[in-house]
Amino acid sequence: SVLLYQKPNRDICQSGTSLKIQCVADSQVVSMFWYQQFQEQSLMLMATANEGSEATYESGFTKDKFPISRPNLTFSTLTVNNARPGDSSIYFCSSRDWGYEQYFGPGTRLTVL
Amino acid sequence: GQQVQQSPASLVLQEGENAELQCNFSSTATRLQWFYQRPGGSLVSLLSNPSGTKHTGRLTSTTVTKERRGSLHISSSQITDSGTYLCAMERAGGNYKPTFGKGTSLVVHP
């Protein structure tokens, strides 16, 4: 299994500001994933981040809005640029173990005022 | 596109009753994984199986790939089972991009 830690666990910010969400794994993982979940909705995959390469974004998510860094095999950062109230949701980082089971961080609950 | 439908949307039980949660998907799946989401939002992986039946504790996951459906059976429900149960389907032939259902909200009363 993989344990994932996220920081902060919640944040409140003003519209137009940027914020960073950090994700740390307790072991080296090849891929890290970032998900967005609006209240009472399913999780939406935002992007896949592999070490040393540009993140791959899903439809509806862009590098300019949600830049992701993956400097090593245990760490990733998601930035939310020019935050808007519509970005208010829970953001999860995720990864898989070698058995292909998926694990999630505890989530970061973002509120944009 | 890929769709994952979960039913029922919500379920209320008395403690000790069994629950049967359904997951139907529109594409051929290579793996179905069940997650429990706590009321506070954190997610826990419960079971993952590409096909057949898998047990852990009071949980049984059954996946019938040909029929594009899966189920999660919870026996002897407990108050602490309350929360949201999500299924995620990984499509055959593609890169790993699981699609999640909206979940079943379970409330277990004493």
Side-chain angles (χ1 to χ4, degrees):
Chain A
S1 66
V2 178
L3 285 177
L4 296 165
Y5 304 92
Q6 283 182 240
K7 190 170 65 172
N9 54 27
R10 61 175 62 228
D11 200 355
I12 301 172
C13 66
Q14 297 293 325
S15 285
T17 61
S18 295
L19 70 133
K20 287 186 190 300
I21 302 170
Q22 296 180 353
C23 179
V24 179
D26 71 336
S27 58
Q28 294 183 341
V29 292
V30 173
S31 297
M32 278 187 169
F33 311 95
W34 286 95
Y35 286 82
Q36 182 184 53
Q37 185 184 34
F38 293 107
Q39 192 161 0
E40 297 185 10
Q41 298 296 312
S42 61
L43 282 82
M44 296 298 296
L45 178 63
M46 301 171 67
T48 302
N50 295 323
E51 186 220 10
S53 61
E54 294 264 324
T56 304
Y57 290 84
E58 299 300 312
S59 176
F61 300 96
T62 67
K63 175 185 173 183
D64 288 340
K65 174 69 175 177
F66 299 103
I68 292 169
S69 72
R70 185 81 202 278
N72 58 52
L73 288 171
T74 61
F75 190 80
S76 179
T77 300
L78 168 72
T79 301
V80 182
N81 281 334
N82 190 23
R84 296 297 174 199
D87 297 324
S88 299
S89 57
I90 305 177
Y91 294 86
F92 292 96
C93 68
S94 176
S95 190
R96 308 168 74 186
D97 64 12
W98 295 108
Y100 297 98
E101 288 203 23
Q102 190 171 9
Y103 299 91
F104 286 84
T108 296
R109 189 179 294 272
L110 173 63
T111 303
V112 184
L113 302 177
Chain B
Q2 305 168 49
Q3 288 195 6
V4 178
Q5 303 287 344
Q6 288 190 245
S7 61
S10 62
L11 186 59
V12 179
L13 298 175
Q14 292 291 318
E15 194 173 18
E17 291 182 326
N18 299 330
E20 187 85 11
L21 312 180
Q22 304 294 334
C23 180
N24 293 279
F25 36 93
S26 59
S27 303
T28 303
T30 57
R31 181 179 301 271
L32 196 68
Q33 190 167 358
W34 288 92
F35 295 88
Y36 167 68
Q37 187 165 28
R38 297 189 177 97
S42 62
L43 286 146
V44 175
S45 174
L46 296 175
L47 284 162
S48 173
N49 62 318
S51 64
T53 301
K54 199 169 180 181
H55 304 275
T56 182
R58 295 180 294 107
L59 305 177
T60 301
S61 167
T62 300
T63 303
V64 185
T65 311
K66 286 183 186 177
E67 296 178 13
R68 300 184 180 179
R69 63 178 175 86
S71 65
L72 180 70
H73 182 86
I74 306 172
S75 62
S76 303
S77 62
Q78 301 176 359
I79 296 169
T80 51
D81 293 334
S82 298
T84 301
Y85 291 80
L86 297 163
C87 72
M89 181 271 288
E90 181 178 346
R91 184 174 58 90
N95 291 327
Y96 177 75
K97 292 184 181 180
T99 302
F100 283 79
K102 288 188 177 182
T104 293
S105 175
L106 174 65
V107 175
V108 182
H109 289 303

